[in-house]
Amino acid sequence: MITIEFGPWERLFTGRARHTVPLTAVRQAAATGQPLRVPRGPRKGLTVSGHTKIGVWGVFGGPRQLVAVHRHLPGLHLLLDRASSGDEFDEVVVSVPDAERLAEAVRAVVA
């Protein structure tokens, strides 16, 4: 299981304190140096142009993304199999200082 803990401001805009993803639902894990470019589509959440995106993207169609990203941190981008996990999201994108290491660890376990 991958458990993501959200900070107070992130909780406000994601609507949750934590989110858990089963490893069996992860199709792909990648680190990105520009996590602000990943979220797309209509959203419910916060956007501070060029700085922060927090919330749910793809609310009216397209991939549904749970997002908590910031300009100064790399992002961990998880592509999920929503059908097998029973989850409401197709993707999770979060900023973490050690995104590359985490992506490699997830890929090693999922492979």
Side-chain angles (χ1 to χ4, degrees), residues 2 21 23 37 43 50 54-55 61 82 94 103 107:
I2 299 170
V21 176
L23 285 170
R37 292 187 176 193
R43 71 183 179 280
I54 305 170
R82 184 173 15 174
V94 292
R107 287 191 298 263

Side-chain angles (χ1 to χ4, degrees), residues 24-65:
T24 56
V26 177
R27 291 188 332 214
Q28 185 177 349
T32 176
Q34 298 180 325
L36 291 172
R37 292 187 176 193
V38 178
R40 58 199 175 279
R43 71 183 179 280
K44 177 182 170 187
L46 170 73
T47 296
V48 178
S49 186
H51 190 272
T52 301
K53 292 183 178 180
I54 305 170
V56 176
W57 266 248
V59 293
F60 298 123
R64 196 159 164 85
Q65 301 170 304

Side-chain angles (χ1 to χ4, degrees), residues 51-81:
H51 190 272
T52 301
K53 292 183 178 180
I54 305 170
V56 176
W57 266 248
V59 293
F60 298 123
R64 196 159 164 85
Q65 301 170 304
L66 179 61
V67 176
V69 295
H70 309 281
R71 177 181 63 197
H72 297 296
L73 289 172
L76 175 64
H77 185 189
L78 302 173
L79 296 178
L80 309 174
D81 181 357

